[in-house]
Amino acid sequence: MALMFLLAVYFLLPVYFLIVAATKPQGELATTNGLAFSHFNLFENLRILFTRSDGIFGRWALNTVVYAVLGAAVGTLISALCGYALAKFRFRGREFLFSVVLGGVLVPTTALALPLFLLFSATGIVNTYLAVFLPSIVSPFGVYLARIFANAAVPQELIESARLDGAGEFRTFFSVSSRLMTPALVTIFLFQFVAIWNNFFLPMVMLQKESLFPITLGLYEWNGQTARAPLLQESVITGSLVSIVPVIIVFILLQRFWRTGLAAGSLK
Amino acid sequence: MTDIAPRAVTSGGRRRPGGGPRAGTVIAFLTPFFLPFVLFYLVPVGYALWQSFRVVRRTGGQYGTSYTTFGGFDQYTQVFQNSEFWNSIGRIGLFGIVQVPVMLFVALIMALLLDTPLLKLKAFFRITAFMPYAVPGVIAAIMWSYLYSPQLSPVVDLFQRIGLHPDFLGPGAVLWSAANVSTWLWTGYNMLIMYSALQSIPQELYEAAKIDGASNWTIAWRIKVPIIAPSIVLTTVFSIIGTLQLYAEPAVLRQISSNISSTFTPNMLAYAVASGNNYQQAAAISVVIAVITFVLSFGFMRLTSKKAGL
């Protein structure tokens, strides 16, 4: 019990520090105790954060939502279709295709980013939304999960009876199978959302235009400038808080999906 | 619902005799994933391989025009002769050998504690541990870098009050400061994978052991841990892959510490080399990192599955 509390303190400490620091005026960051509140300046900090450099932070937030939400949505759909087909349709080369996908799980995304940059610069889509969005929709791990879930959650008899009912395969998938796979689809969506949201290397390699940055890359650039412009420090801190709180809340709300997803993911 | 049979008859001609979907339908399900998979996964991998076998040469002296040509294993020889490469591998090896077991051990202990009926506030502990997973590596590193920085950190303050003067960004400590960020980020995730596996063990197993007089510890180490061994292997493999890919956390710490070079990890080295316009060399480094990842992941899975008889 004591050990668990100690660990809980460890996990909460940086977030607590961030909350405290985000409420302080810039001048008090270094002069007051980092773990105690002083003058409450959160709203002023937020105003500065969102108006700095013509409101670029708001743009970054929007970009992050576009990359992560849209990328995860499209990614979940295509992973689900593929995983479902690999689980439920019998065709030649099925196991081979699945092994290729599994191999894809092991390819380090950082090892992909550099050659992708070269290919994308040859085709002229470097420094566009597509350069980050397109590679993000591919999730071999999503296909792996979708296949496991489809196997476990969609009875073959149900597909057969939908077929007898005269429904086409797509209609069967969208109106019967995908309903049964809903918790799985939410899990795949969340996994991919986090993967895109965490992927820092790809946007860093692909983007030079600040207006296309996700929050992580933007804050990284600002953080690198704090030595020359110390006033940026408060905005980096407030920006970090703004960027993590909504996601943490979503996670806590959706945690029952996570848990089922992880349980299935850990089956071998 | 009563019209199932007649409709089945009318639509019978659309399918193959086996009852499965036609080839066109299968392709329609697979293409939306496999097209981008091939374009953004397989093609770049192939392209990196191809690039890694090429070299830039010049015609004539210093002012000749440059051209790329087949160079065999030249790039790889250069990678293996590069001391910066070995330094980064050594650093990441040391990091992994310490950080991965520590993190997974803590995760395992937490999962076992969460699995005992004695522990209260389970939901709270589970959520606090898992919460860092929602925090991107860059943001986590920024948060921790403020806790490491001598001017701002309340942690450094606390140490100073008891007479200690830790330098989290010093040459000896900075690797472990980075390791701490990884541990903070991923312990809860690994804990949850192990915990989920523990929850799927049928309770009757414990009851039988209790009747035989086994203590809670015996049950934990002799029954629970061996049963969830596959998920421990899985978390280890994920951790090995993650360690070899390390980039964001040291890159952020580099912004405030002069003790992290631009070639601190293999990935940072690859990026630095690519920024210097030597893409062929960067491609070779990326390929070597990927191969090491494959070898270690598969090697570990093989080793453990033989030992545990899984």
Side-chain angles (χ1 to χ4, degrees):
Chain A
M1 196 75 174
L3 176 70
M4 290 301 266
F5 267 112
L6 209 66
L7 286 165
V9 170
Y10 169 69
F11 291 122
L12 291 174
L13 178 74
V15 179
Y16 173 74
F17 169 79
L18 205 62
I19 294 170
V20 171
T23 64
K24 286 181 183 172
Q26 171 74 37
E28 293 185 7
L29 270 181
T31 54
T32 56
N33 181 343
L35 295 178
F37 288 93
S38 63
H39 293 97
F40 189 82
N41 202 46
L42 176 63
F43 296 110
E44 175 62 11
N45 290 343
L46 285 170
R47 194 190 63 75
I48 296 173
L49 171 70
F50 279 99
T51 52
R52 193 181 282 284
S53 313
D54 298 326
I56 192 98
F57 185 81
R59 185 68 189 264
W60 292 343
L62 195 70
N63 293 342
T64 306
V65 171
V66 170
Y67 291 132
V69 174
L70 212 61
V74 175
T76 305
L77 176 68
I78 64 176
S79 299
L81 284 170
C82 182
Y84 174 78
L86 289 174
K88 292 296 176 188
F89 299 162
R90 241 145 280 282
F91 54 90
R92 216 178 326 154
R94 184 170 79 144
E95 289 310 316
F96 170 74
L97 286 180
F98 188 59
S99 324
V100 174
V101 174
L102 270 189
V105 174
L106 282 175
V107 178
T109 46
T110 38
L112 285 173
L114 289 174
L116 261 179
F117 169 77
L118 292 179
L119 289 167
F120 280 5
S121 30
T123 43
I125 49 173
V126 152
N127 233 354
T128 64
Y129 276 109
L130 286 179
V132 172
F133 179 78
L134 288 177
S136 301
I137 62 172
V138 186
S139 167
F141 190 58
V143 174
Y144 167 76
L145 284 180
R147 186 186 177 170
I148 292 178
F149 282 124
N151 260 332
V154 188
Q156 194 69 37
E157 297 81 37
L158 209 67
I159 298 176
E160 294 299 337
S161 72
R163 278 178 189 155
L164 288 173
D165 239 351
E169 294 300 332
F170 278 100
R171 199 163 151 216
T172 309
F173 175 79
F174 283 108
S175 51
V176 181
S177 309
S178 70
R179 303 265 162 90
L180 294 172
M181 288 169 71
T182 301
L185 297 181
V186 175
T187 310
I188 296 170
F189 178 86
L190 285 172
F191 266 114
Q192 203 166 351
F193 176 87
V194 172
I196 300 173
W197 160 242
N198 274 327
N199 193 349
F200 163 71
F201 199 70
L202 182 73
M204 190 192 68
V205 168
M206 293 293 178
L207 306 174
Q208 273 89 49
K209 240 189 257 165
E210 274 203 335
S211 59
L212 301 176
F213 284 7
I215 286 183
T216 44
L217 188 55
L219 287 180
Y220 173 78
E221 296 275 303
W222 274 4
N223 197 45
Q225 293 162 24
T226 51
R228 275 178 286 126
L231 285 176
L232 263 175
Q233 224 163 37
E234 189 57 65
S235 285
V236 171
I237 287 173
T238 312
S240 300
L241 184 67
V242 169
S243 74
I244 64 173
V245 165
V247 187
I248 291 179
I249 291 172
V250 170
F251 266 61
I252 292 173
L253 292 179
L254 291 175
Q255 60 142 336
R256 90 196 151 86
F257 289 113
W258 277 104
R259 294 184 47 212
T260 39
L262 284 165
S266 67
L267 293 175
K268 290 245 300 177
Chain B
M1 279 301 176
T2 46
D3 60 357
I4 287 172
R7 274 225 246 151
V9 173
T10 54
S11 64
R14 288 186 12 212
R15 276 181 293 270
R16 292 187 321 188
R22 291 177 305 175
T25 314
V26 174
I27 291 169
F29 270 84
L30 296 179
T31 308
F33 174 80
F34 273 100
L35 184 68
F37 179 70
V38 170
L39 287 178
F40 309 128
Y41 258 77
L42 301 188
V43 171
V45 168
Y47 187 68
L49 270 174
W50 184 68
Q51 284 280 329
S52 71
F53 287 107
R54 299 186 63 83
V55 285
V56 179
R57 295 207 203 286
R58 283 174 197 286
T59 52
Q62 209 183 338
Y63 301 102
T65 48
S66 64
Y67 62 98
T68 49
T69 180
F70 181 76
F73 286 93
D74 276 13
Q75 295 292 0
Y76 291 95
T77 321
Q78 277 186 45
V79 172
F80 294 126
Q81 284 172 353
N82 184 348
S83 60
E84 303 229 35
F85 172 76
W86 291 112
N87 287 341
S88 70
I89 290 283
R91 234 173 256 128
I92 223 68
L94 185 64
F95 178 105
I97 286 168
V98 176
Q99 191 264 342
V100 172
V102 168
M103 170 180 69
L104 294 180
F105 183 72
V106 174
L108 179 62
I109 295 292
M110 289 184 78
L112 288 170
L113 284 173
L114 275 179
D115 195 50
T116 58
L118 301 165
L119 190 80
K120 305 268 187 302
L121 298 169
K122 277 184 206 219
F124 167 74
F125 289 128
R126 207 177 53 223
I127 291 168
T128 46
F130 189 58
M131 175 203 63
Y133 180 65
V135 179
V138 173
I139 307 283
I142 289 176
M143 287 158 77
W144 276 102
S145 68
Y146 281 101
L147 290 173
Y148 294 148
S149 103
Q151 291 91 32
L152 293 179
S153 170
V155 179
V156 175
D157 271 358
L158 282 177
F159 274 110
Q160 280 173 348
R161 233 169 270 178
I162 56 169
L164 292 170
H165 299 272
D167 179 9
F168 291 117
L169 304 168
V174 78
L175 182 67
W176 309 116
S177 297
N180 173 57
V181 180
S182 294
T183 309
W184 183 80
L185 275 169
W186 296 102
T187 302
Y189 172 82
N190 292 308
M191 179 271 288
L192 222 59
I193 290 182
M194 297 178 195
Y195 177 65
S196 309
L198 281 173
Q199 296 244 294
S200 57
I201 303 175
Q203 292 292 319
E204 298 86 67
L205 225 65
Y206 307 146
E207 276 153 32
K210 274 205 181 117
I211 292 168
D212 287 343
S215 71
N216 279 333
W217 273 115
T218 320
I219 293 177
W221 290 115
R222 294 283 171 81
I223 300 176
K224 292 182 179 181
V225 173
I227 291 181
I228 64 162
S231 59
I232 298 175
V233 172
L234 188 79
T235 53
T236 312
V237 170
F238 283 165
S239 306
I240 291 172
I241 298 174
T243 303
L244 285 160
Q245 289 196 51
L246 210 63
Y247 184 89
E249 295 86 344
V252 170
L253 292 182
R254 178 172 150 75
Q255 295 178 326
I256 57 159
S257 170
S258 54
N259 292 310
I260 293 185
S261 62
S262 63
T263 59
F264 196 72
T265 70
N267 266 323
M268 289 170 83
L269 172 67
Y271 183 72
V273 170
S275 306
N277 273 328
N278 193 347
Y279 293 116
Q280 294 77 18
Q281 179 70 37
I285 295 169
S286 299
V287 171
V288 174
I289 299 169
V291 169
I292 295 175
T293 309
F294 271 107
V295 170
L296 285 183
S297 315
F298 275 119
F300 184 78
M301 278 195 275
R302 270 285 172 82
L303 188 80
T304 46
S305 62
K306 252 184 210 158
K307 258 199 177 156
L310 297 168

